[in-house]
Amino acid sequence: MGDLLTVENLTISFRTDEGLITPVQDVSFSVQKGRTLGLVGESGSGKSVSTKAVMRLLPGSAVIAPDTRMHYTAKDGQRVEVEKLDPRSRAIRRLRGGEIGMIFQEPMASFSPVYTIGNQMIEAIRLHREPNKRQAREIAIAMLERVGLSDPATRIDQYPHEMSGGMRQRAMIALALSAGPALLIADEPTTALDVTIQAQVLDLMRELQRDLGMGMIFITHDLGVIAQIAQDVAVMYLGTIVERGPTAEVIRDPKHPYTQGLLAAIPSLDRLNARMTPVPGDIPSPTERPTGCPFHTRCVHAIAGLCSARTPREIAPEPGRAVRCWLHDEAGRSAA
Ligand code: SF4
């Protein structure tokens, strides 16, 4: 499996009246063809901002650091250096939708309320795949059927507000997939849904990702959801990836105290009678990022004199795993 997207040293700052704030620092990850990477962390951890940078959808006040590298391998095998693209260029418009699709927590962020679902899907299909309008409509109907909407030939002519929340979510997935992307970025797509619909949409996304052989980045604050959908996981805290690796291994043996805290907060059958133990304290604001390890203000294992003063580097405690924590960096501790 080749890398579809590789992000290296992504650092994003925003110009504000109070000066420059940097909500994402030195983030590196990769997504492989046919696999799902889960990006997990509390709100404010920088998950959405990082993926918006990949889509070049950041506002004008954003500054991407010059040593950031974002490489995407297009469907025709061409290597695209995303960080060098002009956000208004034709190349980035081709990339958005046709190569990389995106779905959000709120479907109305994708749909315009004044056009039918079909109009919007047909436009996306004609832009990226099939210029013939009749053919494009057939592809759209087939896609609505594929995501489990009953009577798709009628639904296609409905407006977004005529559908229930769960149906709209399915229609948004169909819209994102209608241009045939090789990579799908799903930003908290199930968070606003009730538990039953959430499970159905997760099943659907897992099935589509497998059947279409897409790569996927699935953003959530819920490590339990990641366990169900993602083969690989990257745990973010205050704009930094603190741990990454294959999901099954990270869940079996979490190395970072923050990952351990997130896992302890998941209710599970054998913990039904136990009290859930959420990570104590609140995530600090990016304008008040602590010195040293960003997690030291909440970490029960913090090493006095070291964690609050020195930022841990990313090390590989085992092949395929990565963690940023002094507890696992004996060589770094001795040198500090
Ligand atoms: Fe805790 Fe220190 Fe590890 Fe940070 S580096 S997670 S403060 S032990």
Side-chain angles (χ1 to χ4, degrees):
M1 297 266 169
D3 280 349
L4 199 52
L5 174 72
T6 308
V7 172
E8 285 169 21
N9 310 324
L10 172 63
T11 296
I12 306 167
S13 303
F14 287 93
R15 293 184 217 94
T16 72
D17 293 343
E18 283 79 44
L20 213 58
I21 61 159
T22 304
V24 172
Q25 271 189 20
D26 200 13
V27 159
S28 299
F29 61 85
S30 60
V31 188
Q32 299 183 341
K33 282 180 190 153
R35 283 178 80 88
T36 298
L37 169 74
L39 264 188
V40 67
E42 290 160 286
S43 69
S45 58
K47 313 178 295 288
S48 298
V49 180
S50 301
T51 50
K52 281 195 177 123
V54 173
M55 299 289 270
R56 304 302 308 272
L57 285 172
L58 294 174
S61 58
V63 184
I64 295 180
D67 63 340
T68 295
R69 297 285 172 269
M70 298 187 280
H71 293 156
Y72 173 77
T73 306
K75 289 185 270 191
D76 63 4
Q78 220 185 324
R79 190 173 146 99
V80 183
E81 295 180 340
V82 182
E83 77 281 359
K84 293 194 179 140
L85 296 179
D86 179 336
R88 292 170 302 270
S89 64
R90 271 191 69 194
I92 195 76
R93 283 206 301 273
R94 258 202 312 273
L95 200 72
R96 287 185 203 135
E99 293 281 351
I100 308 178
M102 194 154 188
I103 60 175
F104 304 92
Q105 181 174 335
E106 179 39 68
M108 293 314 262
S110 296
F111 284 118
S112 158
V114 297
Y115 295 105
T116 63
I117 299 281
N119 272 336
Q120 300 179 63
M121 288 182 73
I122 289 165
E123 193 187 314
I125 293 165
R126 293 187 73 194
L127 188 67
H128 295 288
R129 279 170 77 180
E130 169 58 70
N132 179 308
K133 200 169 178 180
R134 193 177 51 80
Q135 296 271 9
R137 185 178 167 89
E138 277 167 20
I139 293 173
I141 291 173
M143 193 53 80
L144 289 174
E145 189 168 17
R146 181 68 191 77
V147 299
L149 281 188
S150 59
D151 196 9
T154 306
R155 296 253 179 246
I156 193 167
D157 295 317
Q158 287 188 326
Y159 289 88
H161 70 266
E162 294 179 276
M163 292 183 166
S164 69
M167 273 198 268
R168 262 206 302 267
Q169 205 72 5
R170 286 172 188 269
M172 177 175 60
I173 296 170
L175 173 66
L177 298 182
S178 55
L183 174 65
L184 183 68
I185 298 175
D187 191 351
E188 303 260 8
T190 57
T191 304
L193 303 172
D194 73 44
V195 180
T196 318
I197 309 282
Q198 184 176 40
Q200 290 170 2
V201 172
L202 275 182
D203 278 349
L204 170 69
M205 295 195 65
R206 201 173 24 224
E207 216 179 278
L208 288 167
Q209 184 266 330
R210 190 192 54 218
D211 294 354
L212 303 175
M214 288 181 303
M216 181 153 79
I217 301 177
F218 195 100
I219 299 174
T220 177
H221 60 275
D222 187 342
L223 202 44
V225 169
I226 295 288
Q228 295 175 58
I229 197 150
Q231 293 92 355
D232 304 300
V233 63
V235 181
M236 283 193 83
Y237 185 78
L238 213 56
T240 302
I241 290 179
V242 295
E243 177 157 13
R244 57 194 170 108
T247 308
E249 286 179 35
V250 170
I251 286 178
R252 183 180 47 78
D253 178 23
K255 305 281 187 199
H256 197 280
Y258 180 58
T259 318
Q260 292 164 0
L262 286 181
L263 271 166
I266 300 173
S268 68
L269 280 180
D270 52 347
R271 289 202 206 107
L272 271 185
N273 295 320
R275 279 191 59 207
M276 274 172 49
T277 46
V279 182
D282 293 321
I283 189 165
S285 142
T287 54
E288 288 154 11
R289 190 183 161 91
T291 54
C293 169
F295 189 57
H296 83 261
T297 55
R298 298 169 77 185
C299 182
V300 290
H301 302 292
I303 304 164
L306 177 62
C307 294
S308 61
R310 307 274 310 258
T311 307
R313 59 184 176 166
E314 187 176 78
I315 56 134
E318 289 164 22
R321 304 272 310 259
V323 64
R324 276 181 196 266
C325 173
W326 286 117
L327 294 176
H328 299 279
D329 188 0
E330 208 182 313
R333 279 203 317 270
S334 329

